[in-house]
């Protein structure tokens, strides 16, 4: 079955950087758009960034534009999220997810994704 495993979370001071990774298995990774979402305590899960199946198209929520970069290495079946200039409000559990259908542009709606990772905690201290 399809499996996604995130890594790279941790505790960082405001202004610092982290790089999240999401290793995929069990599906032809290169055929599916991927997304990153996050969920802070007491809040709903929200869209952060998405990338289409080839890596040629990306999309970001306004609050992370210019600070976060989503990328993928299809040869390694791995998705990345480079997070720079982190702010305390970026604190959340971050999840990667794979689109339920092949060969689409990245999606903002979490219901377009059918497989999720277990999440990795990112904590930004002020």
């Amino acid at each position: 079955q399809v499996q996604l495993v995130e890594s790279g979370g941790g505790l960082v001071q405001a202004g610092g950087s982290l790089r999240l990774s999401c290793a995929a298995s069990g599906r032809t990774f290169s055929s599916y758009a991927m997304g990153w979402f996050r969920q802070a305590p007491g809040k709903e899960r929200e869209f952060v960034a998405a990338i289409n199946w080839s890596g040629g198209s990306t999309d970001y929520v306004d609050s992370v534009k210019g600070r976060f970069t989503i990328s993928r290495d299809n040869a390694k079946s791995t998705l990345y999220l480079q997070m720079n200039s982190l702010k305390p409000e970026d604190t959340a559990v971050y999840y990667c997810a794979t689109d339920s259908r092949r060969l689409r542009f990245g999606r903002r709606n979490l219901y377009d994704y059918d497989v999720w990772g277990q999440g990795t905690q990112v904590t930004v201290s002020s």
Side-chain angles (χ1 to χ4, degrees), residues 12 16 19 23 35-36 43 45 54 63 79 93 116 124-125:
V12 64
R19 188 194 197 200
W36 285 102
K43 295 188 177 181
R45 192 169 299 189
S54 69
S63 60
L79 176 73
V93 177
W116 294 79
V124 184
S125 63

Side-chain angles (χ1 to χ4, degrees), residues 15-88:
S17 298
L18 284 173
R19 188 194 197 200
L20 305 184
S21 298
C22 171
S25 61
R27 178 179 281 180
T28 306
F29 179 78
S30 59
S31 295
Y32 292 86
M34 299 289 294
W36 285 102
F37 291 76
R38 65 187 179 186
Q39 188 166 18
K43 295 188 177 181
E44 294 185 350
R45 192 169 299 189
E46 66 170 355
F47 168 78
V48 175
I51 189 166
N52 77 324
W53 56 275
S54 69
S57 176
T58 59
D59 186 26
Y60 299 91
V61 68
D62 285 348
S63 60
V64 308
K65 283 181 181 177
R67 300 189 298 122
F68 290 12
T69 302
I70 187 172
S71 62
R72 65 191 297 160
D73 186 335
N74 284 344
K76 296 182 178 179
S77 297
T78 303
L79 176 73
Y80 302 101
L81 185 68
Q82 177 66 44
M83 305 186 294
N84 298 329
S85 302
L86 282 161
K87 304 176 181 180

